[in-house]
Amino acid sequence: QVQLVESGGGLVQSGGSLRLSCAASGSTFSINTMGWYRQAPGNQRELVATISRIGNTNYADFVKGRFTISRDNAKNTVTLQMNSLKPEDTAVYYCKAARNGRDFWGQGTQVTVSS
Protein backbone atom coordinates (compact mmCIF):
# COMPACT_ATOMS: atom_id res chain seq x y z
CA GLN A 1 0.00 0.00 0.00
CA VAL A 2 0.99 3.60 -0.63
CA GLN A 3 -0.36 6.47 1.40
CA LEU A 4 -0.40 9.96 -0.09
CA VAL A 5 -0.88 13.21 1.80
CA GLU A 6 -1.33 16.50 -0.04
CA SER A 7 -0.69 19.96 1.37
CA GLY A 8 -0.46 23.53 0.17
CA GLY A 9 -3.94 24.29 -1.06
CA GLY A 10 -5.81 27.45 -0.15
CA LEU A 11 -7.39 30.66 -1.36
CA VAL A 12 -5.50 32.93 -3.74
CA GLN A 13 -6.40 35.83 -5.99
CA SER A 14 -6.39 35.54 -9.75
CA GLY A 15 -2.82 35.82 -11.02
CA GLY A 16 -1.36 34.51 -7.81
CA SER A 17 0.66 31.39 -7.07
CA LEU A 18 0.37 28.30 -4.92
CA ARG A 19 2.64 25.34 -4.35
CA LEU A 20 1.14 21.91 -3.73
CA SER A 21 3.12 19.10 -2.18
CA CYS A 22 2.40 15.40 -1.90
CA ALA A 23 4.28 13.04 0.39
CA ALA A 24 4.17 9.30 -0.18
CA SER A 25 4.67 6.72 2.54
CA GLY A 26 4.31 2.99 2.94
CA SER A 27 5.49 0.78 0.10
CA THR A 28 7.12 3.58 -1.84
CA PHE A 29 9.72 1.47 -3.61
CA SER A 30 8.86 0.88 -7.26
CA ILE A 31 6.51 3.88 -7.44
CA ASN A 32 6.57 4.80 -11.12
CA THR A 33 4.53 7.75 -12.36
CA MET A 34 3.26 10.35 -9.94
CA GLY A 35 0.90 13.10 -10.84
CA TRP A 36 -1.71 15.69 -10.02
CA TYR A 37 -5.35 15.61 -11.05
CA ARG A 38 -8.17 17.96 -10.24
CA GLN A 39 -11.93 17.89 -9.96
CA ALA A 40 -14.19 20.91 -9.98
CA PRO A 41 -17.82 20.67 -8.79
CA GLY A 42 -19.96 19.00 -11.43
CA ASN A 43 -16.94 17.99 -13.50
CA GLN A 44 -15.02 14.79 -13.95
CA ARG A 45 -11.58 14.39 -12.48
CA GLU A 46 -8.99 15.48 -15.02
CA LEU A 47 -5.25 15.19 -15.46
CA VAL A 48 -3.17 18.24 -14.62
CA ALA A 49 0.41 16.96 -14.83
CA THR A 50 2.40 13.76 -14.42
CA ILE A 51 6.05 12.94 -13.93
CA SER A 52 7.81 9.62 -14.36
CA ARG A 53 10.42 8.23 -12.03
CA ILE A 54 13.16 9.48 -14.38
CA GLY A 55 11.63 12.93 -14.70
CA ASN A 56 9.64 12.81 -17.92
CA THR A 57 6.74 15.22 -17.60
CA ASN A 58 3.33 15.56 -19.20
CA TYR A 59 1.00 18.54 -18.84
CA ALA A 60 -2.59 19.26 -19.71
CA ASP A 61 -2.81 21.97 -22.34
CA PHE A 62 -4.66 24.30 -19.99
CA VAL A 63 -1.70 24.47 -17.56
CA LYS A 64 1.25 24.51 -19.94
CA GLY A 65 3.50 27.44 -19.21
CA ARG A 66 1.84 28.13 -15.86
CA PHE A 67 2.32 24.97 -13.76
CA THR A 68 5.49 22.99 -13.11
CA ILE A 69 5.63 19.47 -11.68
CA SER A 70 8.70 18.08 -9.96
CA ARG A 71 9.56 15.14 -7.73
CA ASP A 72 12.19 14.06 -5.25
CA ASN A 73 12.57 10.30 -5.36
CA ALA A 74 14.74 10.24 -2.25
CA LYS A 75 12.03 11.97 -0.23
CA ASN A 76 9.11 10.36 -2.06
CA THR A 77 7.51 13.71 -2.75
CA VAL A 78 5.95 15.37 -5.77
CA THR A 79 5.33 19.09 -6.04
CA LEU A 80 3.15 21.23 -8.27
CA GLN A 81 4.12 24.87 -8.59
CA MET A 82 1.12 26.80 -9.88
CA ASN A 83 1.61 30.31 -11.22
CA SER A 84 -0.72 32.75 -12.98
CA LEU A 85 -3.71 31.06 -11.40
CA LYS A 86 -7.14 31.65 -12.89
CA PRO A 87 -10.62 31.31 -11.35
CA GLU A 88 -11.18 28.28 -13.59
CA ASP A 89 -8.30 26.53 -11.78
CA THR A 90 -10.54 26.29 -8.73
CA ALA A 91 -10.90 22.60 -7.84
CA VAL A 92 -9.88 19.89 -5.44
CA TYR A 93 -6.40 18.75 -6.44
CA TYR A 94 -5.48 15.11 -5.97
CA CYS A 95 -2.10 13.43 -5.93
CA LYS A 96 -1.78 10.04 -7.59
CA ALA A 97 0.98 7.43 -7.53
CA ALA A 98 1.21 4.38 -9.78
CA ARG A 99 2.95 1.28 -8.50
CA ASN A 100 2.95 -2.22 -9.95
CA GLY A 101 -0.17 -1.60 -11.98
CA ARG A 102 -2.15 -0.05 -9.15
CA ASP A 103 -3.12 3.58 -8.64
CA PHE A 104 -3.12 5.21 -5.23
CA TRP A 105 -4.82 8.51 -4.46
CA GLY A 106 -4.53 11.14 -1.81
CA GLN A 107 -7.48 12.75 -0.07
CA GLY A 108 -7.20 15.96 -2.07
CA THR A 109 -6.55 19.60 -1.26
CA GLN A 110 -8.83 22.50 -2.13
CA VAL A 111 -7.54 25.28 -4.37
CA THR A 112 -9.76 28.33 -4.73
CA VAL A 113 -8.87 31.21 -7.04
CA SER A 114 -10.90 34.37 -6.61
CA SER A 115 -11.46 36.84 -9.43
Side-chain angles (χ1 to χ4, degrees):
Q1 294 289 333
V2 175
Q3 293 79 43
L4 301 170
V5 178
E6 301 102 333
S7 61
L11 173 64
V12 65
Q13 289 188 334
S14 181
S17 298
L18 282 174
R19 186 178 180 88
L20 304 183
S21 294
C22 173
S25 61
S27 300
T28 58
F29 59 94
S30 298
I31 288 178
N32 189 1
T33 300
M34 299 187 76
W36 290 93
Y37 293 70
R38 71 186 189 186
Q39 187 168 18
N43 291 355
Q44 291 187 335
R45 193 171 297 188
E46 60 184 357
L47 179 148
V48 175
T50 62
I51 184 167
S52 72
R53 188 167 187 83
I54 61 171
N56 294 325
T57 59
N58 178 51
Y59 293 93
D61 286 343
F62 54 78
V63 302
K64 284 181 179 178
R66 299 189 298 127
F67 293 8
T68 302
I69 190 170
S70 59
R71 74 188 276 177
D72 185 329
N73 291 329
K75 297 181 179 179
N76 297 309
T77 58
V78 61
T79 299
L80 185 69
Q81 177 65 44
M82 305 186 295
N83 298 326
S84 302
L85 283 161
K86 305 174 182 180
E88 52 263 44
D89 293 318
T90 295
V92 178
Y93 283 69
Y94 296 91
C95 176
K96 189 184 91 168
R99 176 182 177 273
N100 294 340
R102 290 185 62 187
D103 290 337
F104 299 89
W105 294 90
Q107 293 296 311
T109 185
Q110 177 70 46
V111 171
T112 303
V113 184
S114 63
S115 57

